[in-house]
Amino acid sequence: MAAQTSYSGSVEISKFFLDTSTVIRTTEMHTGGEPLRIVESGYPLLKGKTILEKRKYARDYCDNFRTFLMHEPRGHYDQYGAILVESDHPEADMAVLFIHNEGYSTMCGHAVIALGRYAVDRRLVKPSPPETTVNIQCPCGLVKAFVTCTEDGRTGCVRFHSVPAFVFANDVEVNVEGYGNVRADISYGGAFYAIVNAECMGLDVKTSKIKDIINAHAFSVYYCVKSSTVANISTHVSVTFHVNFDI
């Protein structure tokens, strides 16, 4: 589902100016309710030969544009965005940088699903029934989206193949305030994920309140694992790790 919008206004100035003459054009999409704001124009030209160099440039010089689009009143706590950039991968049909309320991500599944339909709907990729392949260059690497479509070009379901996954560490023990020592498995699939057994925290994913899982538990585990020694995966400024949770 998509809708076109434009935004204007002024915010605190950093390396690039944002003022009342600034117009940023986006297409608003969602995947099962998960939002994606696709930035089509109005963002500063992101310099760099590679997508990781562009990501670093965006963070170092254009971060006020990210907060302008992701934070209230134009965004919200769960807002997510994708900046269309020039690809440096020979097989890519398009390239994107992922942004959210806290910064920049390396991979996002719901965004890839939306971008797959966006690419076919906007004819960035020619429809090829019954399923069209869209190669999307993400900061983590090349991700392939497969978009079902009809003979007249109408799009439907989307699936995707991410970059190769691997287990980084098993049974990582972290001390979580209010719960004591909690064990987590850490895996990679475009981003790093900590997987925690719900029962060890007194949770039931079928009956526990979502706000309890998110607010009281997921964030507690998130920051504990992220700050632990084992999660110090990379010190390279362009490939900082990203941690999500399945509980």
Side-chain angles (χ1 to χ4, degrees), residues 149-161:
C149 59
T150 60
E151 292 292 339
D152 59 359
R154 289 181 296 171
T155 53
C157 298
V158 183
R159 60 188 180 93
F160 67 87
H161 291 169

Side-chain angles (χ1 to χ4, degrees), residues 43-235:
Y43 224 82
L45 178 64
L46 300 179
K47 299 180 180 180
K49 293 182 180 180
T50 68
I51 194 168
L52 291 180
E53 289 177 356
K54 292 181 175 69
R55 181 170 177 254
K56 183 179 185 301
Y57 189 90
R59 183 175 56 226
D60 292 348
Y61 296 100
C62 313
D63 201 52
N64 56 331
F65 280 74
R66 175 189 65 83
T67 57
F68 179 78
L69 289 169
M70 298 293 103
H71 292 183
E72 293 186 1
R74 301 165 194 87
H76 52 82
Y77 188 83
D78 295 312
Q79 185 67 59
Y80 214 91
I83 308 168
L84 301 181
V85 298
E86 184 178 354
S87 170
D88 62 89
H89 195 292
E91 298 178 29
D93 297 308
M94 62 192 303
V96 297
L97 298 179
F98 299 121
I99 56 176
H100 50 79
N101 68 314
E102 292 186 333
Y104 303 81
S105 182
T106 52
M107 169 59 183
C108 177
H110 89 263
V112 166
I113 292 171
L115 287 164
R117 285 195 60 165
Y118 174 86
V120 179
D121 288 343
R122 295 300 175 86
R123 299 301 188 263
L124 301 180
V125 176
K126 183 179 179 180
S128 179
E131 190 174 65
T132 303
T133 300
V134 181
N135 293 330
I136 305 172
Q137 186 185 16
C138 306
C140 66
L142 192 70
V143 176
K144 293 180 176 289
F146 303 93
V147 185
T148 59
C149 59
T150 60
E151 292 292 339
D152 59 359
R154 289 181 296 171
T155 53
C157 298
V158 183
R159 60 188 180 93
F160 67 87
H161 291 169
S162 188
V163 296
F166 61 88
V167 176
F168 176 75
N170 283 319
D171 290 329
V172 176
E173 189 173 273
V174 293
N175 187 270
V176 180
E177 184 177 355
Y179 297 94
N181 292 334
V182 174
R183 292 186 178 275
D185 295 330
I186 301 178
S187 299
Y188 178 83
F192 282 92
Y193 297 83
I195 304 170
V196 179
N197 188 308
E199 293 182 358
C200 74
M201 300 185 73
L203 292 170
D204 186 320
V205 294
K206 295 181 179 179
T207 60
S208 297
K209 295 180 179 179
I210 293 296
K211 67 176 181 179
D212 290 338
I213 296 174
I214 294 174
N215 296 331
H217 310 302
F219 290 135
S220 297
V221 177
Y222 172 86
Y223 290 113
C224 287
V225 173
K226 190 173 181 179
S227 62
S228 71
T229 303
V230 72
N232 189 17
I233 296 158
S234 174
T235 57

